[in-house]
Each structure stands twice: as C-alpha cells, then as structure tokens.
Amino acid sequence: MTGWEIENPGEYLLYGNDKNLRAFLKNYPLSALSPDGQTLFIIRQYHPTLNCSPDDPVNPSEAYRMCLAYYTYSSYFFFELPTHLHYNMLSVRYDQHIQDIAITISSREMTRVTNVKELFARLESYAPKTDAEKEAAFAGLSNEIPLQKKKVPITQTEVKSTVIGVLKNADFDDWWVSAPQKIAFLDQEEMTFTITDYNPNEDEKLMEAADETIRNFLAKTPQDREAMSTYVYQNCMDFLDAVGYDEADQALWDIKDPRDIWNYVTPLEIYVTREPYEDQGVYLRLIFRCEWEQEHGLQLVFNQKGKLVRVSDDDGHIIG
C-alpha cells in the first residue's frame, strides 16, 4: 500500500463506521484515527510539486517528499517530514498531560511523540525547508504545546477605511466587511471587501497599508484586466494539461484569444490581509469561481502597490 488508497479521506470521517476507512486503517500502519474519530493522519509520499502520489501516471516524478497528512471532515493540511527516514508506525492517543491528541511517529532511525500544535510550529509546510532542516525540526519534537501569545481582545464592532468607509464585524471577530463597492476592474460590478485576521488593537498599521492596497486595486480598469489575460489563460491550460483531456472542457481547449478566458470565470470574494509567514506585507486576493478548476477556483493576488504577484488556484496561501 502507498497511503493513497482512499480518495477524499476527509469525507470518510463523516461516516464513522465506513468499511473502506476501517480496512485502510487496518492494513496501512502509517495511518491513524483520533479517539473521537474526527481526525485522520496518514504518512505517505507526495509528488514534489503537486498534492498527489509520486507514481501518479499523469504527473510522473523521480523525486518525492514525505508528509504527514492531517484531515478533518472539512479541511486538510500536511506537515513535511524528513525524506530519508524509514517510517514504520503511526499512532495517536489522548494525552491528559497536554489535554490534546498525542501523535507517535516511528521510524527505524528514531521515534518522536508530538501534537498538532507543535507540528504547526515546527514543520508547517508554508516555508520551504531543506531535508537537514526538516530532520532537525523532527528530532526536536517533544510533545510540548507551544506557548501562545495572549491576544488583546477586540472591543470594536466596526473599523474605518479612508477609501471604502466603514467595515463591520463579520463572521469572525477579526474579519471586517465593507458595503458593496463598484469595481472598475470588473466592469463596475459591485463587491464587498473583507479585511481578515485584523485586530485593530494589535496591528495599528494594517489599515493604513490596507487602504493603499485597496486604493491601487480600485484604480485598475478593464484594460488592466485584459493585460492579465495571458496569465489566467495559462493557469487554465496548465490545469487542463495536468488532468488530461475531458470532452466537457472542449470549450476551454478551443479558446483562441486569451482575453476570452474571462468568460469562464465569476468573481466571488475580495480579501485583504497581512501575509503571516514570509514578508508579512499586505495583499489583496480576488477570488473567482472558474470552469476549469471547480473545486479550488482561481485567485489573483495583488501587492500593496497594486502589482499582480500571483495567479493560482485558491489554495489558502497568499504568495505561495
């Protein structure tokens, strides 16, 4: 077995006694289910650039990375592990000491006990690491809960932008939503702006940077959008090449003028947020539904100066 025998593993967690999941857990020693049946862990090999098996026939690769996949019924994440270790067992249990799930990862070379919070702190997959860095981080796992900075409470129910006016508290206490704004870039379509992960009592400079980011985006025109057509068209073609020919995609394959790609996307959301992992700049993410990548959609990412810096699926990352 390779660990790739279950498609959409998170969906199986909705059905606690699913026989396919139980059979997989019984036969693949590098998988484990949390005691409450809500979280699934799998150690397996990945393609070095795609979230797929290294022996995927469409995307062959001689290299691979080793990861611990972490699934709930509604989300997933993966933590990169040292590639050269020979893993032979994975288990989870509830640990009263940390009042959380403890994860035991065993290999011929070493065994470590850890937890999800520690994995996020030491082996998160946002920032690339060399194998030596991953091994050092793995060797340092000790099942400790990292100290959390105490958050300053949010007392406001609205914040003020000099560009788009008042934004009101949204679904989360650090999300703020504006009134609908006309977007010239989208032929005057009205959309709201959502500033995310913003505590006005902690990050005093974010709103000033957000205003500059929003101002530069609102200055963009349909001609600016057309100038970006090639990048969006290439994103579509790259995806179609990766998944292989499907008759349902014929209209996309038949596109001759890259500017026509906009006929196959629908704008959904605009988010403004600070990038937390690398440069910590403020970026704007314009999210679309698109007809080629129906699961993850499309995002255009603009920096504070209004420059387009990324065209990708909506993968939850800002600058990749």
Side-chain angles (χ1 to χ4, degrees):
M1 299 181 73
T2 66
W4 286 91
E5 284 72 19
I6 295 183
E7 294 184 11
N8 303 317
E11 294 182 8
Y12 284 89
L13 297 174
L14 293 173
Y15 314 103
N17 291 317
D18 187 277
K19 63 180 182 180
N20 292 325
L21 178 58
R22 286 186 282 116
F24 173 72
L25 291 165
K26 180 179 178 180
N27 291 294
Y28 190 66
L30 298 183
S31 64
L33 190 65
S34 63
D36 62 6
Q38 299 299 304
T39 309
L40 175 65
F41 300 88
I42 308 172
I43 295 176
R44 62 191 182 193
Q45 297 176 1
Y46 282 70
H47 188 281
T49 58
L50 302 172
N51 182 23
C52 66
S53 169
D55 58 1
D56 183 87
V58 179
N59 302 287
S61 174
E62 295 180 358
Y64 66 88
R65 57 185 176 177
M66 186 66 75
C67 296
L68 172 64
Y70 162 74
Y71 289 92
T72 68
Y73 73 88
S74 61
S75 64
Y76 77 93
F77 197 81
F78 61 86
F79 306 98
E80 292 200 27
L81 301 175
T83 300
H84 74 280
L85 298 183
H86 298 84
Y87 300 95
N88 50 33
M89 192 272 287
L90 175 69
S91 65
V92 299
R93 60 180 173 81
Y94 183 77
D95 187 330
Q96 185 65 40
H97 173 68
I98 63 170
Q99 297 187 347
D100 204 344
I101 295 171
I103 308 160
T104 301
I105 303 173
S106 293
S107 70
R108 292 208 305 256
E109 294 81 4
M110 67 177 82
T111 295
R112 290 293 180 269
V113 180
T114 184
N115 56 72
V116 171
K117 293 184 178 68
E118 187 177 46
L119 287 168
F120 269 109
R122 290 179 173 267
L123 284 166
E124 51 78 16
S125 57
Y126 291 109
K129 297 179 179 65
T130 66
D131 213 54
E133 290 171 331
K134 285 185 281 189
E135 182 171 353
F138 182 76
L141 296 175
S142 58
N143 196 30
E144 293 296 324
I145 299 293
L147 292 176
Q148 300 292 315
K149 180 182 176 182
K150 189 174 182 179
K151 290 187 176 181
V152 177
I154 295 175
T155 55
Q156 297 89 335
T157 59
E158 59 184 38
V159 294
K160 180 70 178 294
S161 162
T162 60
V163 180
I164 56 175
V166 172
L167 295 91
K168 295 186 179 296
N169 202 223
D171 298 335
F172 306 101
D173 63 353
D174 57 355
W175 284 37
W176 312 86
V177 179
S178 75
Q181 310 287 322
K182 290 184 178 180
I183 312 298
F185 183 79
L186 300 172
D187 297 318
Q188 301 299 325
E189 181 162 347
E190 290 194 350
M191 297 184 68
T192 61
F193 288 79
T194 301
I195 298 179
T196 69
D197 306 314
Y198 171 44
N199 183 338
N201 299 326
E202 287 186 324
D203 193 348
E204 297 177 357
K205 296 182 178 180
L206 185 141
M207 184 57 78
E208 181 181 347
D211 277 347
E212 181 181 359
T213 307
I214 293 168
R215 185 183 298 111
N216 286 326
F217 174 71
L218 288 175
K220 294 189 178 300
T221 66
Q223 289 71 36
D224 292 316
R225 186 187 71 231
E226 287 193 1
M228 301 170 188
S229 301
T230 300
Y231 303 115
V232 178
Y233 173 77
Q234 190 61 50
N235 175 272
C236 173
M237 292 298 106
D238 287 346
F239 180 83
L240 296 182
D241 286 337
V243 300
Y245 178 76
D246 187 323
E247 186 177 354
D249 298 323
Q250 189 61 53
L252 296 167
W253 287 108
D254 289 342
I255 293 174
K256 304 301 182 186
D257 185 340
R259 291 175 296 182
D260 292 340
I261 196 66
W262 300 104
N263 296 324
Y264 299 92
V265 303
T266 303
L268 296 177
E269 306 283 352
I270 300 174
Y271 296 108
V272 179
T273 193
R274 188 180 295 284
E275 195 283 319
Y277 300 106
E278 298 184 41
D279 69 357
Q280 299 188 6
V282 173
Y283 292 83
L284 182 146
R285 298 170 56 230
L286 176 57
I287 309 299
F288 295 87
R289 180 187 299 113
C290 65
E291 295 193 19
W292 58 93
E293 226 294 25
Q294 297 180 18
E295 181 178 359
H296 296 108
L298 170 76
Q299 71 169 353
L300 306 186
V301 180
F302 299 87
N303 68 11
Q304 192 170 325
K305 300 299 182 183
K307 180 181 177 181
L308 179 69
V309 296
R310 190 178 185 211
V311 177
S312 71
D313 62 330
D314 181 14
D315 59 1
H317 301 276
I318 297 174
I319 54 177

